[in-house]
Amino acid sequence: MLEAFLTSAITMATPILLAALGELLVEESGVINIGIEGAMLAGAFVALAIAYFSGSTALGLAGAIAAGVAINAIFATLVVNLAVNQVVTGTAVSILALGLTGVFYRKLFGVTGKAFMVAPIAKIPLGPLARIPLLGPVLFDHNGLVYFTFILVPTLWYVIAHTRYGLRLRACGERPEAADALGLGVIAIRWQALIVSGALTGLAGAFLTLAYANTFVENISAGRGFVALSVVIVGRWNSWGLAAASVLFGAAMALQFGLQALGTIVPYQLFLALPYALTLVVLAGFGGQAAAPSALGEPYRRQ
């Protein structure tokens, strides 16, 4: 029972953490991307559609990356180049993705939404580590996307905190005018962050359809992009904090399914609301104490 719950928590945490790590890069550069929900949804649909028709999971993952990058490229053009309001643009992009995925889903599979299934991404047990009692199945018996996501945690921590590129990235988020005066190229760095974030968010969407549900339903992301945004705040713009917060929310989602399985008389809608209620509670308790990049969300035009 405990093993199944912890394994489910890690699985549920993976797409949230993957999207949050991409958003961390974007916010360190001074941009807040509310459109992360749309990029995740687009990645989820394109990944499954390509995998279903081609029979190739690898092509599905590549398609998810391309979809996430395309959504973020639209966002970057409006926000970085044209200095349009970031919150309004992100909201519009998410609505656009929701509409497009719904239209193409019904176009390809009918108005009734015929279920289409694909084989899940295969697990890769890590040898003797996967046979360790309790911890083995929980930590070392997952698919490659899970390992990739958690390897990104120390990688991004090091890149942001201890490399020249990380310093430039943070400078763009703190003092973009000064960074541009030094020739760092704020526009280029923000574009780079958004492209990388789009790829990671697209993969987060692909995880939902190729590694978790193995099918697609409209709005399958179900607010996970917004949870990822809150994870960045709760994690205090630190990849280690993001990992801890993501696992917390993943555990809440796993608990939600466990409580539903008990067959209590409590309305199941209350269990569905549990992860999102936890998000609000944690944000209320810790969000106000976090120090965001100084220029986060502010429009910037190169002088």
Side-chain angles (χ1 to χ4, degrees):
M1 184 71 174
L2 178 60
E3 179 183 301
F5 169 73
L6 294 176
T7 302
S8 180
I10 295 296
T11 301
M12 298 291 182
T14 297
I16 295 173
L17 177 57
L18 194 53
L21 289 171
E23 180 66 14
L24 173 63
L25 284 173
V26 173
E27 294 196 13
E28 288 287 4
S29 74
V31 175
I32 183 168
N33 183 11
I34 303 295
I36 189 173
E37 177 82 1
M40 183 182 290
L41 187 57
F45 174 76
V46 172
L48 194 72
I50 291 178
Y52 179 78
F53 287 111
S54 70
S56 171
T57 299
L59 287 178
L61 292 174
I65 292 173
V69 168
I71 292 293
N72 273 22
I74 296 172
F75 178 84
T77 300
L78 294 171
V79 165
V80 178
N81 294 98
L82 302 179
V84 179
N85 182 277
Q86 296 175 14
V87 174
V88 172
T89 303
T91 303
V93 165
S94 288
I95 295 172
L96 173 66
L98 178 61
L100 287 177
T101 53
V103 168
F104 281 104
Y105 175 58
R106 298 185 183 197
K107 178 68 175 177
L108 292 174
F109 300 97
V111 176
T112 57
K114 181 186 72 175
F116 55 115
M117 305 291 293
V118 295
I121 299 175
K123 291 184 178 182
I124 308 173
L126 298 184
L129 293 175
R131 295 192 290 271
I132 299 173
L134 184 61
L135 289 181
V138 172
L139 299 178
F140 306 113
D141 190 15
H142 294 279
N143 61 63
L145 273 179
V146 176
Y147 300 135
F148 170 73
T149 300
F150 283 90
I151 287 173
L152 274 181
V153 173
T155 302
L156 284 188
W157 169 79
Y158 181 81
V159 168
I160 292 172
H162 298 285
T163 67
R164 181 174 296 179
Y165 179 80
L167 180 61
R168 293 174 176 176
L169 184 74
R170 288 182 282 120
C172 292
E174 295 291 345
R175 296 289 185 272
E177 294 84 2
D180 230 354
L182 292 173
L184 299 184
V186 173
I187 290 177
I189 288 176
R190 288 183 172 180
W191 259 94
Q192 292 165 11
L194 280 162
I195 293 302
V196 173
S197 175
L200 295 180
T201 306
L203 283 176
F207 185 92
L208 294 176
T209 50
L210 299 184
Y212 174 59
N214 308 126
T215 189
F216 180 86
V217 295
E218 294 184 53
N219 196 28
I220 193 172
S221 53
R224 286 178 175 85
F226 298 111
V227 173
L229 281 168
S230 69
V231 160
V232 177
I233 300 172
V234 173
R236 298 171 183 258
W237 289 269
N238 180 286
S239 60
W240 296 107
L242 267 62
S246 296
V247 172
L248 174 64
F249 292 125
M253 290 182 176
L255 181 62
Q256 158 203 315
F257 293 119
L259 292 174
Q260 289 185 61
L262 293 177
T264 64
I265 61 173
V266 178
Y268 75 93
Q269 290 89 348
L270 292 178
F271 298 138
L272 292 176
L274 179 61
Y276 308 102
L278 178 63
T279 300
L280 294 175
V281 170
V282 175
L283 275 177
F286 298 97
Q289 303 174 22
S294 300
L296 182 62
E298 296 180 4
Y300 173 73
R301 287 186 181 275
R302 186 174 181 180
Q303 303 300 319

